[in-house]
Amino acid sequence: MGKVAVCTAAVCAAAVCAAAALVVRHRMRSSGRWAQAMAILEELKDKDERGSFYALDLGGTNFRVLRVLLGGKEKRVAKQEFEEVSIPPDLMIGTSDALFDFIADALKKFVDTEGEDYHLSPGRQRELGFTFSFPVKQTSIASGTLVKWTKGFSIEDAVGQDIVGELTKSLERVGLDMRVAALVNDTIGTLAGGKYDNPDVIAAVILGTGTNAAYVERAHAIPKWHGLLPKSGEMVINMEWGNFRSSHLPLTEYDLAMDVDSLNPGEQVALLLLFRTPHMSAMHHDTSSDLKVVGSKLKDILEISNTSLKTRKVIVELCEIISIRGARLAAAGILGVLKKLGRDTVKEGEKQSSVIALDGGLYEHYTKFRTALESTIKELLGDASDSIVITHSNDGSGVGAALLAASHSQYLEVEDS
């Protein structure tokens, strides 16, 4: 439901009664009154899920700011725009004020480019869905305490603070009148956005700076849940699988050495990576006869010059080993979700499609990684893989956050009264 969605309990009941009365009392004798009744129904359909909302997606070394125009049930996401901003390394280990002031300033500049389509009615406050992909103890739909940093961030004065409160203070300092309506993590946002587009989406997976998954589970299959079951009979499970430690997963001496030298040793085990993904991908996809790209990366990043072609070939082979390792681990995780939901086998006479919404720069931009992931899933599932669809959910977490902001708009109650 969007901020101008008037189709809720009180207004909906009144409108339906009005339309029904027109039809029943006059038994459709008057074409004019029939048209009036249909106009009321069309108005209900037209005004659902409408409005413009913003989203901020912070989960790694970059963050995205988005604005989404919801156009009702027919047009759905009518329009969206975004900008991606790199976070300076010093802000990742600085202060909370410095980081969130930088983010708020970028968001304000983005808002300043707002076109006519996104303008709000007078007196309306802009509303934001905040995707924050770090460990948080969530206390409400729009508040949560930061437990710890991961992914190279280490800002001590933010730990234990309400992360929405920190952002809100920065928004006020830069003079941006905007309310955080929903706080979510990237997997939940991607799942919400994916399922909004396609009801066959059963899970969302992030493969970027970090990795995580979420899926829709039958409520009665959750042994840890002791409260009242939801009316839908389903719940969303946020797996937090990025913090895996398993006796079944061998760690090399290089994995352990990298983990010890990381900003958060032991928190999210750093599997072997030599470079940031864009550098590794560029070297792995180097098709030049002398592997020129590999040579330039080694020189620019590791300050190793005058490498031989033999050495460069070894680097490409190493990239192949590491990317396949990561892709097969991710595929195994996806298989685990499918097995839990009973969607890893072909059931006779049943045609079902299981869609996995996948987001993150690693999957989006690293072609050889993506190919290895998809081929591994086919290898593991055999014939059952024909019913599994992996779809790239571009900006899925951001769009999902905007949708969740819309469903928790402060104006819903006003319009319902």
Side-chain angles (χ1 to χ4, degrees):
M1 297 283 286
K3 67 169 63 176
V4 293
V6 295
C7 182
T8 49
V11 175
C12 181
V16 170
C17 287
L22 285 168
V23 174
V24 174
R25 288 177 186 174
H26 299 278
R27 297 178 181 271
M28 297 167 50
R29 288 178 294 180
S30 166
S31 60
R33 290 188 182 277
W34 175 257
Q36 187 179 351
M38 291 301 98
I40 293 173
L41 294 180
E42 287 302 314
E43 182 181 16
L44 292 178
K45 289 192 293 184
D46 183 58
K47 287 191 175 180
D48 191 32
E49 295 173 330
R50 292 178 65 90
S52 60
F53 295 87
Y54 279 81
L56 166 63
D57 190 347
L58 173 61
T61 51
N62 300 323
F63 66 88
R64 283 189 175 189
V65 289
L66 305 91
R67 50 177 161 250
V68 177
L69 182 65
L70 301 179
K73 288 187 176 179
E74 296 300 322
K75 294 183 179 178
R76 302 178 74 79
V77 178
K79 190 176 181 181
Q80 67 183 85
E81 299 171 348
F82 77 92
E83 283 186 7
E84 187 164 333
V85 182
S86 294
I87 300 175
D90 60 303
L91 294 184
M92 296 171 63
I93 55 173
T95 66
S96 180
D97 285 353
L99 174 64
F100 285 105
D101 283 359
F102 177 80
I103 292 170
D105 184 64
L107 185 55
K108 184 177 186 300
K109 290 176 180 176
F110 183 63
V111 170
D112 289 342
T113 65
E114 192 178 77
E116 288 294 330
D117 290 345
Y118 294 94
H119 283 184
L120 302 177
S121 302
R124 294 267 180 165
Q125 186 182 31
R126 291 180 180 86
E127 295 181 294
L128 175 80
F130 183 16
T131 300
F132 186 73
S133 305
F134 299 90
V136 166
K137 181 179 180 181
Q138 191 142 2
T139 51
S140 74
I141 186 61
S143 63
T145 302
L146 176 62
V147 177
K148 60 190 174 186
W149 289 103
T150 55
K151 307 174 193 175
F153 284 77
S154 183
I155 304 173
E156 293 184 7
D157 66 340
V159 176
Q161 300 299 314
D162 175 14
I163 216 68
V164 172
E166 295 297 291
L167 175 61
T168 299
K169 287 188 292 185
S170 291
L171 293 175
E172 292 171 352
R173 280 195 291 268
V174 301
L176 179 56
D177 183 23
M178 180 176 283
R179 168 183 173 265
V180 179
L183 174 67
V184 298
N185 77 7
D186 52 359
T187 47
I188 301 301
T190 300
L191 186 58
K195 208 160 183 65
Y196 183 77
D197 285 334
N198 187 342
D200 289 334
V201 168
I202 61 166
V205 176
I206 304 296
L207 292 170
T209 303
T211 180
N212 194 13
Y215 69 98
V216 181
E217 179 63 280
R218 298 148 296 179
H220 64 79
I222 307 173
K224 290 184 177 180
W225 181 255
H226 300 295
L228 294 174
L229 293 178
K231 292 180 181 179
S232 67
E234 296 181 326
M235 295 185 71
V236 173
I237 302 297
N238 171 25
M239 297 183 69
E240 292 295 346
W241 78 13
N243 197 21
F244 58 83
R245 271 188 181 276
S246 171
S247 58
H248 302 288
L249 177 65
L251 298 178
T252 70
E253 61 181 290
Y254 306 105
D255 295 318
L256 298 173
M258 283 195 65
D259 184 53
V260 168
D261 290 337
S262 69
L263 286 173
N264 311 106
E267 297 296 344
Q268 289 185 310
V269 180
L271 296 180
L272 180 58
L273 293 172
L274 296 175
F275 299 84
R276 292 180 66 176
T277 302
H279 303 311
M280 181 173 163
S281 177
M283 293 190 298
H284 197 178
H285 293 96
D286 187 358
T287 58
S288 61
S289 58
D290 59 350
L291 298 177
K292 182 179 180 180
V293 175
V294 176
S296 64
K297 293 293 182 183
L298 292 173
K299 180 180 179 181
D300 296 342
I301 299 169
L302 297 182
E303 298 181 354
I304 301 174
S305 56
N306 301 321
T307 53
S308 66
L309 180 59
K310 183 178 180 180
T311 298
R312 297 177 188 183
K313 287 181 177 180
V314 170
I315 295 297
V316 173
E317 186 176 357
L318 187 57
C319 290
E320 174 81 3
I321 293 170
I322 294 169
S323 64
I324 289 178
R325 182 193 192 196
R328 292 179 74 82
L329 283 170
I334 293 172
L335 175 63
V337 173
L338 294 170
K339 287 180 72 69
K340 181 66 173 64
L341 296 176
R343 291 173 177 256
D344 62 318
T345 58
V346 179
K347 297 180 177 62
E348 187 175 350
E350 181 179 325
K351 291 184 178 181
Q352 65 175 2
S353 178
S354 301
V355 180
I356 310 294
L358 223 157
D359 197 12
L362 181 59
Y363 180 80
E364 180 181 1
H365 301 299
Y366 200 151
T367 305
K368 290 183 181 292
F369 176 95
R370 182 170 64 248
T371 300
L373 172 72
E374 293 170 349
S375 64
T376 301
I377 289 177
K378 290 182 179 180
E379 175 190 338
L380 293 172
L381 288 171
D383 292 340
S385 65
D386 293 339
S387 65
I388 308 302
V389 179
I390 296 180
T391 179
H392 177 223
S393 182
N394 191 28
D395 281 335
S397 59
V399 172
L403 288 167
L404 291 169
S407 68
H408 291 85
S409 170
Q410 63 186 317
Y411 298 110
L412 288 177
E413 292 184 4
V414 174
E415 290 161 351
D416 293 348
S417 60

